[in-house]
Amino acid sequence: QSVLTQPPSASGTPGQRITISCSGSSSNIRGNYVYWYQQLPGTAPKLLIYKSTERPSGVPDRFSGSKSGTSASLAISGLRSEDEADYYCAAWDDSLSGPIFGGGTKLTVL
Amino acid sequence: QLQLQESGPGLVKPSETLSLTCTVSGGSISNSRYFWGWIRQPPGKGLEYIGSFHYGASSYYKSSLKSRVTISTDTSKNQFSLQLTSVTAADTAAYYCARGDPNGSSSWLQLESWGQGILVTV
């Protein structure tokens, strides 16, 4: 069981806005940056959000990250079929003294 | 353009040592701006951070793997390697090498470029 908790699945229809949550604690999310990765089927993960809210160049502004207290969220607006993927949150954990990943959320575009 | 490519045996026997190499092109592993690391993913499961290093400086190993993991470098070939000893079926996973940018954080988590991954079965 992951220290960062994500819903195992999420779904939406094209054009819709969805959010994926990542619940942590005071030893990880509260005091540290959150990162989000997208993993398309059969491919390596891709950095989607860094430092909780920043987007790497090339990532569409449909993707946004936020953080509040011990939780973080990834929002995807204008959902597209190509967004169907697994999404992982990650953060440094002060108690474990190491980086940790959430269990991942499988997004289905209906 | 930066490229990372994992290589090594796809099948390792229990109790033996898993050895993988990441060959980097388009960038130098001795560039102190970046860090390099290994992440793995058991089939159908989530990501697990194994370890990372800043060439000539700091490194990180996951505590539960630390006694079995060695990450080494060969700057002449622009490669870095992972050795994991005494493997069991629980070490069966896709192994990814990656390059990260600290960007003012010590989290080892801004992993911007990844190899395609290699599946290793124990």
Side-chain angles (χ1 to χ4, degrees):
Chain A
Q1 192 163 350
S2 302
V3 176
L4 299 180
T5 301
Q6 299 180 237
S9 64
S11 63
T13 56
Q16 193 176 8
R17 180 180 186 274
I18 64 102
T19 60
I20 296 173
S21 62
C22 176
S23 178
S25 69
S26 57
S27 69
N28 41 67
I29 290 179
R30 185 182 293 280
N32 296 294
Y33 292 122
V34 177
Y35 299 78
W36 289 91
Y37 291 87
Q38 176 194 58
Q39 187 175 31
L40 298 171
T43 70
K46 170 189 170 183
L47 181 66
L48 210 56
I49 298 289
Y50 66 96
K51 286 190 166 182
S52 305
T53 61
E54 303 297 316
R55 277 188 313 275
S57 60
V59 173
D61 59 6
R62 302 187 296 108
F63 296 90
S64 62
S66 63
K67 188 184 90 164
S68 178
T70 60
S71 293
S73 292
L74 173 71
I76 309 174
S77 60
L79 201 60
R80 298 183 177 183
S81 58
E82 57 259 39
D83 298 332
E84 195 161 279
D86 293 326
Y87 292 85
Y88 294 90
C89 62
W92 178 268
D93 189 281
D94 295 326
S95 297
L96 297 173
S97 295
I100 54 173
F101 288 95
T105 298
K106 184 176 184 62
L107 174 64
T108 300
V109 180
L110 303 170
Chain B
Q1 184 179 352
L2 183 72
Q3 290 190 319
L4 299 92
Q5 178 70 58
E6 305 88 349
S7 60
L11 186 63
V12 181
K13 294 180 180 179
S15 79
E16 295 189 343
T17 296
L18 179 159
S19 295
L20 297 175
T21 296
C22 182
T23 300
V24 178
S25 58
S28 172
I29 65 169
S30 58
N31 184 335
S32 59
R33 173 178 171 179
Y34 300 104
F35 64 88
W36 309 85
W38 291 96
I39 300 92
R40 70 180 181 179
Q41 184 174 35
K45 296 188 178 181
L47 301 168
E48 180 182 25
Y49 209 112
I50 299 172
S52 280
F53 69 95
H54 242 129
Y55 184 79
S58 55
S59 64
Y60 163 79
Y61 291 105
K62 183 176 182 178
S63 58
S64 61
L65 297 172
K66 197 170 186 176
S67 63
R68 297 196 292 132
V69 169
T70 301
I71 297 176
S72 58
T73 61
D74 185 340
T75 54
S76 67
K77 296 180 180 178
N78 211 31
Q79 297 174 331
F80 61 100
S81 298
L82 170 71
Q83 284 198 315
L84 181 64
T85 62
S86 304
V87 297
T88 69
D91 296 309
T92 294
Y95 286 76
Y96 297 97
C97 61
R99 186 186 83 172
D101 186 338
N103 194 16
S105 168
S106 56
S107 71
W108 303 98
L109 276 170
Q110 192 165 325
L111 298 159
E112 300 179 329
S113 299
W114 295 63
Q116 65 184 22
I118 182 169
L119 177 63
V120 179
T121 302
V122 179

